[in-house]
């Protein structure tokens, strides 16, 4: 059973470009979460999604950031017009649709570097 | 909102010794407390968790204790091995906030052979 798959592992963008980060949850998991990690910091919650629904986006910046989890395909975290402050590691996690759903399993992350 | 403080930020022990990492939380409505291990270049890995209706939980060399009154919880690793070297994060989740974990800033554990 493959774990949470994220791609790309590394993404370099110039200021003003768009960044698209992809996440495929573990098989059988219907809950997806995105977190951001700055150097020497803990992870910060951004958004929680289920198929075709955003459940909790309380951690998402109000502008330039969006997330989706379509009926088919991976979840996408999209950052428009990137700025240097967006440079960070972005982690996706998933959890099962059961009594174990509070247990989050993380992917290996996407390291975004904005030049 | 919830705030999680974690200490120490770095911890160095000799192989075979025990390691203890402590965390405090601010919101008494938090009811789920996981611990994650993160190795360099990898994502966090869930190693143990505890719910607020339990005071202690053990899994082989790893144990977690929770003191709800004092709002603190601790990770205990016994008989440490070099492969235990990593950054460890505690986290807390408010009741009703599925998946919204508030993380501590991490403890870098080094186990010297």
């Amino acid at each position: 059973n493959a774990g949470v798959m994220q791609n790309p592992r590394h993404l370099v963008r110039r200021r003003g470009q768009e960044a698209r980060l992809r996440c495929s949850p573990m098989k059988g998991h219907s809950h997806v979460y995105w977190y951001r990690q700055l150097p020497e910091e803990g992870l910060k919650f951004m958004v929680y999604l289920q198929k075709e629904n955003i459940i909790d986006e309380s951690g998402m910046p109000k502008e330039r950031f969006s997330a989706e989890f379509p009926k088919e395909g991976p979840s996408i975290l999209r950052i428009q017009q990137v700025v240097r402050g967006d440079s960070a590691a972005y982690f996706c996690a998933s959890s099962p649709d059961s009594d174990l759903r509070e247990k989050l399993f993380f992917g290996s992350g996407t390291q975004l570097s904005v030049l | 909102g919830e705030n999680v403080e974690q200490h120490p930020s770095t911890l160095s022990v000799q192989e075979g010794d025990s390691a203890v990492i402590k965390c405090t939380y601010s919101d008494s409505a938090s009811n789920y407390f996981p611990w994650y291990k993160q190795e360099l270049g990898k994502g966090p890995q869930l190693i143990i968790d505890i719910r607020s209706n339990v005071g202690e939980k053990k899994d082989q060399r790893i144990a977690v204790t929770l003191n709800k009154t004092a709002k603190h919880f601790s990770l205990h690793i016994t008989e440490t091995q070099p492969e235990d070297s990593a950054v460890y994060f505690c986290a807390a989740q408010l009741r009703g906030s599925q998946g919204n974990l508030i993380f501590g800033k991490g403890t870098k554990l080094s186990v010297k052979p």
Side-chain angles (χ1 to χ4, degrees):
Chain A
N1 185 12
V4 176
M5 303 300 292
Q6 287 189 249
N7 66 82
R9 286 298 311 273
H10 301 276
L11 182 61
V12 179
R13 286 288 178 264
R14 295 191 181 279
R15 283 180 295 169
Q17 291 184 319
E18 178 180 287
R20 281 184 179 242
L21 289 62
R22 295 175 184 77
C23 169
S24 295
M26 288 179 70
K27 188 177 180 180
H29 288 193
S30 58
H31 303 262
V32 167
Y33 316 85
W34 285 94
Y35 280 76
R36 176 164 61 178
Q37 185 177 34
L38 294 171
E40 310 298 322
E41 295 280 329
L43 285 77
K44 303 289 187 189
F45 170 82
M46 299 180 75
V47 63
Y48 161 33
L49 311 103
Q50 289 185 277
K51 286 285 187 182
E52 300 184 282
N53 282 303
I54 296 174
I55 308 300
D56 180 357
E57 56 181 349
S58 59
M60 286 280 270
K62 294 286 184 273
E63 297 177 348
R64 303 187 297 108
F65 285 71
S66 62
E68 63 176 5
F69 188 17
K71 188 176 181 180
E72 301 291 337
S75 175
I76 305 286
L77 179 68
R78 182 183 178 204
I79 312 172
Q80 295 178 290
Q81 299 172 3
V82 297
V83 301
R84 289 220 173 102
D86 297 333
S87 296
Y90 291 83
F91 290 95
C92 171
S94 69
S95 66
D97 191 15
S98 70
D99 290 345
L100 299 176
R101 63 182 172 186
E102 63 196 357
K103 295 181 185 289
L104 270 60
F105 296 88
F106 284 85
S108 294
T110 293
Q111 181 65 51
L112 173 65
S113 298
V114 180
L115 304 180
Chain B
E2 175 63 284
N3 183 51
V4 175
E5 299 283 342
Q6 182 172 349
H7 300 279
S9 56
T10 59
L11 179 60
S12 182
V13 299
Q14 287 294 132
E15 183 177 359
D17 287 350
S18 295
V20 180
I21 302 171
K22 298 182 179 182
C23 289
T24 59
Y25 61 100
S26 59
D27 198 324
S28 56
S30 291
N31 66 345
Y32 174 64
F33 307 91
W35 285 87
Y36 284 85
K37 174 184 181 182
Q38 187 175 27
E39 296 174 319
L40 196 61
K42 296 185 179 180
Q45 176 192 1
L46 179 66
I47 55 171
I48 197 167
D49 56 5
I50 192 167
R51 294 190 59 84
S52 58
N53 58 349
V54 176
E56 184 173 358
K57 184 176 179 181
K58 190 173 181 181
D59 182 4
Q60 299 182 349
R61 297 186 297 108
I62 293 173
V64 58
T65 59
L66 171 65
N67 183 325
K68 280 194 301 182
T69 303
K71 294 207 271 292
H72 65 70
F73 55 116
S74 301
L75 178 72
H76 304 252
I77 306 174
T78 58
E79 301 171 25
T80 54
Q81 302 166 2
E83 51 265 39
D84 293 330
S85 297
V87 179
Y88 290 81
F89 292 97
C90 63
Q93 178 179 283
L94 286 170
R95 186 179 296 112
S97 295
Q98 168 64 28
N100 188 341
L101 296 174
I102 309 300
F103 280 84
K105 291 192 173 184
T107 296
K108 185 174 182 180
L109 174 64
S110 299
V111 180
K112 300 186 185 305

